[in-house]
Amino acid sequence: MIPSGSRYVALGSSFAAGPGIRPIVHPPAGRSGNNYARLVATELGLELVDVSYSGATTAHVLDTPQDEAPPQLDVLTPETALVTITVGGNDLEYVGTFLRGSFLNTVAKPATILGRRVANRIRARVSYLKDDAAYQTVTDSLTRVVEKARERSPEARILLVDYLSLVGPATRPRLDVPLNEEQLPSIAMMADGLAGAFAKAAAASGADLVAASAASREHAIGSAEPWTTGFTLRPSYLGGHVSYHPNAAGMRAVADLILETLRT
């Protein structure tokens, strides 16, 4: 277990930051005061440095500034005792593809008034498939993130925390998400490829793997107790939420998985 008072650095994209989960403590990053890093730090009494940032890619963690934020690895020090990493989905445009497809299909419904050809043209603007090289690139990038983190913080325990499942056995096309029977399996395949990249990177780098994807399959969209949000066009001021992202229950679940990993 990480001793109380130790320095904990959280790196990653929106699935680490927690946009839409109140309170938002850093609006530009969409960073929540109740994301998994905050929950873990509170539980263990750790000194948290959370630089997770919505929209981040592995490049933003490694060496590329994002908005006003420097590369995330810059905050690591030799005194860091714990590092968690959730990034890579944006390298594949994973959630972005899901969002664009859902938006275009939703827009295409009223467009059928103008004719089926117009509606189909709108739906055809999203490519759902990635080749093996794309997943290997994410694997290599995640491996490099761990290696660079270990150079900066050689005594730290490093955890690769993969993405909560958006699609699971209970997710129904057209009913739970606005994708059809051909599109939805492609999103599930992309999620499997992303989870595989995390597993391979963990094996290659020696980092611990927190497999949130596997633990959450029964809590995907359409389940009785989902850990992620569904799709909406409604803005937050009208009761909407951030689509296809962890909800508060999902963040709590990921925090518990991390705590379980640290205790073993």
Side-chain angles (χ1 to χ4, degrees):
M1 183 62 72
I2 307 298
S4 177
S6 298
R7 192 171 195 264
Y8 165 26
V9 173
L11 312 174
S13 62
S14 57
F15 270 56
I21 301 174
R22 297 179 180 177
I24 297 298
V25 296
H26 191 284
R31 194 179 303 139
S32 170
N34 277 315
N35 62 17
Y36 71 65
R38 291 284 181 126
L39 298 173
V40 169
T42 299
E43 182 83 12
L44 300 181
L46 304 179
E47 175 195 336
L48 175 64
V49 180
D50 185 358
V51 291
S52 59
Y53 208 107
S54 297
T57 64
T58 52
H60 293 128
V61 175
L62 285 164
D63 52 26
T64 304
Q66 184 180 6
D67 298 335
E68 85 289 354
Q72 294 183 23
L73 282 176
D74 286 3
V75 302
L76 290 176
T77 66
E79 294 74 31
T80 302
L82 174 64
V83 181
T84 55
I85 303 164
T86 301
V87 73
N90 291 318
D91 296 48
L92 296 167
E93 297 186 322
Y94 167 46
V95 174
T97 299
F98 206 170
L99 285 168
R100 287 194 299 275
S102 298
F103 175 78
L104 292 174
N105 282 0
T106 301
V107 171
K109 289 181 179 180
T112 54
I113 298 172
L114 302 176
R116 190 166 297 277
R117 181 177 297 178
V118 173
N120 288 338
R121 192 174 300 162
I122 291 173
R123 292 191 184 99
R125 292 178 184 172
V126 177
S127 174
Y128 293 90
L129 298 177
K130 302 291 181 181
D131 58 21
D132 291 342
Y135 298 113
Q136 186 60 49
T137 297
V138 174
T139 299
D140 295 342
S141 295
L142 285 170
T143 302
R144 186 164 175 242
V145 167
V146 174
E147 291 171 347
K148 292 297 183 182
R150 190 169 284 125
E151 288 177 8
R152 290 171 175 264
S153 304
E155 301 301 320
R157 187 165 183 185
I158 301 176
L159 275 58
L160 282 172
V161 183
D162 75 1
Y163 285 60
L164 287 168
S165 291
L166 295 167
V167 176
T171 311
R172 300 168 297 177
R174 303 179 190 269
L175 297 175
D176 298 316
V177 295
L179 296 186
N180 63 33
E181 292 80 0
E182 295 180 357
Q183 295 164 335
L184 187 59
S186 298
I187 293 292
M189 288 173 60
M190 196 183 301
D192 289 343
L194 180 58
F198 270 82
K200 291 176 183 176
S205 66
D208 291 310
L209 176 66
V210 179
S213 58
S216 59
R217 279 184 55 79
E218 299 299 327
H219 294 275
I221 297 166
S223 66
E225 297 179 354
W227 289 350
T228 52
T229 59
F231 181 72
T232 182
L233 291 175
R234 185 179 300 172
S236 58
Y237 60 84
L238 292 178
H241 54 253
V242 177
S243 299
Y244 299 147
H245 276 79
N247 58 25
M251 278 297 182
R252 179 71 258 178
V254 175
D256 288 342
L257 290 169
I258 291 170
L259 291 167
E260 181 182 347
T261 300
L262 293 175
R263 288 175 178 135
T264 58

